[in-house]
Amino acid sequence: MTHSLLQPFDQRQGWLWLDGEFIQWDRARLHVLTHGLHYASSVFEGERAYAGRVFRLDEHTQRLLESARMLDFEIPYTAQNIKDATRELLEKNDLVNGYIRPVAWRGSEQISTAARASRIHLAIAAWEWPRYFEESSHQSGISLQTAIWRRPPPCSSPFKAKAASHYMIATLSKHAAERSGFDDALMLDWRGQIAESTSANLFFVREDALHTPLPDCFLDGITRQTVISLADEHGLRVVERAIFPDEIPYFEECFMTGTAVEVCPVGRIDNHAYQRFAVGKSLARSFREKAMRLTESLDHAI
Ligand code: PMP
């Protein structure tokens, strides 16, 4: 099942899992009066399958269930149900390497801020998506423009939830960056510290150490945690700390991490160009190797 990037997502072919059943892709329709659409009561995941197995499916499934709880709703399926459905979906769609998008949302029973009577829905879709950025960007590094929007303080929303509501400032920031000729945006937090990009975490390299912002108001990505676990075998220390933008020119390298981007070097932030990519590229290789080797628990092969 190969899709062109320009093919709209509602016009693709294949199987989708919706509320406990496998259905044809084009039958997955929503009513316009859906709470998730009006009030952003929706949580989702982004997962990747490598060589037929989903990387860290346990952690992603747990994060999905917990994200929903942080938005005060309970997904009516167990982690086991969701993992089984995910594996079966890959099989039915003949996907060996691909991207998986589970999404849960409040339905149409109530349209107001109160929504405790809403039915909770869950869908899972999967498709081929080899690279988030062009292959050439993985070689020469992507460019980031500092966004005008900032990640809000932790008292303003449950920031550990992978919730739709957190993404509008990311969309605005990414649009602005692309209009200015950049690939993506770098988001600061409300204090002016470097936070992350619009959909990935950030690492900087200096003198055998990885410096990465403390995830105290944004997602502590599963890829980020994996890269931290790989640092030691690369002879790198990990320093999680507050990083301010005036440090950008003093780092030797920068790279980003996320399920969609995997590990991707950054070649430029605003006017500062990075010339070195060696650490990012070798971590990218190790990450891929690890993803191929250590996917979900091996007794769950599909
Ligand atoms: N931050 C944001 C805002 C994201 O959307 C993502 C992608 N899920 C990440 C960080 C990286 O998270 P992960 O490594 O778990 O994909």
Side-chain angles (χ1 to χ4, degrees):
M1 192 184 39
T2 309
H3 293 115
S4 137
L5 272 183
L6 296 175
Q7 195 170 19
F9 273 92
D10 61 346
Q11 289 167 32
R12 298 182 175 204
Q13 310 259 303
W15 292 98
L16 243 142
W17 187 94
L18 175 62
D19 292 336
E21 288 181 58
F22 289 98
I23 58 164
Q24 284 296 325
W25 193 284
D26 59 1
R27 287 196 42 229
R29 300 277 162 198
L30 278 190
H31 198 273
V32 291
L33 292 170
T34 293
H35 201 273
L37 179 64
H38 292 244
Y39 297 91
S41 48
S42 149
V43 295
F44 63 99
E45 269 306 313
E47 302 161 2
R48 257 190 200 280
Y50 295 88
R53 294 198 184 106
V54 183
F55 183 60
R56 305 222 143 154
L57 182 57
D58 282 337
E59 285 95 328
H60 281 287
T61 305
Q62 215 45 51
R63 186 168 71 184
L64 179 74
L65 292 167
E66 280 160 21
S67 293
R69 285 179 196 130
M70 285 184 251
L71 265 62
D72 202 23
F73 68 82
E74 189 69 31
I75 295 176
Y77 301 95
T78 63
Q80 197 57 50
N81 296 151
I82 298 170
K83 290 189 288 183
D84 290 346
T86 305
R87 295 186 191 107
E88 226 181 301
L89 183 73
L90 290 178
E91 238 176 31
K92 277 177 94 72
N93 284 317
D94 278 333
L95 274 172
V96 177
N97 298 303
Y99 182 81
I100 301 131
R101 170 57 61 88
V103 55
W105 68 96
R106 288 191 171 101
S108 307
E109 288 73 13
Q110 272 183 293
I111 290 290
S112 79
T113 48
R116 283 183 294 145
S118 301
R119 189 175 156 211
I120 306 304
H121 300 270
L122 176 66
I124 310 174
W127 61 90
E128 261 180 46
W129 193 17
R131 285 293 202 199
Y132 182 86
F133 294 110
E134 301 278 316
E135 185 57 40
S136 57
S137 304
H138 280 261
Q139 299 312 317
S140 54
I142 60 134
S143 56
L144 298 177
Q145 181 189 48
T146 302
I148 57 162
W149 298 99
R150 291 185 172 197
R151 287 274 165 223
C155 59
S156 70
S157 73
F159 71 91
K160 290 187 180 163
K162 191 163 164 61
S165 54
H166 296 149
Y167 282 85
M168 190 38 58
I169 54 172
T171 296
L172 291 173
S173 304
K174 179 130 176 148
H175 284 183
E178 286 180 348
R179 281 196 195 101
S180 310
F182 289 79
D183 296 306
D184 204 343
L186 176 142
M187 304 197 70
L188 306 180
D189 71 13
W190 88 101
R191 297 163 291 203
Q193 294 172 198
I194 291 177
E196 55 173 353
S197 78
T198 57
S199 58
N201 293 117
L202 286 172
F203 284 84
F204 295 91
V205 183
R206 189 168 60 211
E207 292 169 1
D208 298 332
L210 296 180
H211 297 253
T212 189
L214 261 175
D216 58 3
C217 64
F218 56 87
L219 214 61
D220 179 3
I222 292 168
T223 320
R224 176 185 185 277
Q225 293 163 30
T226 307
V227 165
I228 288 175
S229 76
L230 290 170
D232 203 34
E233 65 195 56
H234 286 251
L236 296 160
R237 279 182 308 122
V238 178
V239 188
E240 291 183 87
R241 64 175 177 90
I243 302 176
F244 284 89
D246 59 4
E247 292 185 64
I248 287 170
Y250 300 104
F251 290 115
E252 295 151 11
E253 279 188 46
C254 176
F255 61 88
M256 62 209 295
T257 64
T259 299
V261 299
E262 302 174 285
V263 179
C264 182
V266 173
R268 182 151 77 100
I269 301 178
D270 299 320
N271 293 325
H272 180 78
Y274 289 103
Q275 310 291 351
R276 289 165 61 176
F277 306 109
V279 174
K281 282 188 184 177
S282 79
L283 281 164
R285 269 193 303 278
S286 299
F287 174 77
R288 274 244 158 178
E289 279 162 23
K290 182 156 187 151
M292 290 288 185
R293 215 172 49 235
L294 182 144
T295 43
E296 53 174 311
S297 54
L298 297 179
D299 52 340
H300 283 129
I302 52 172

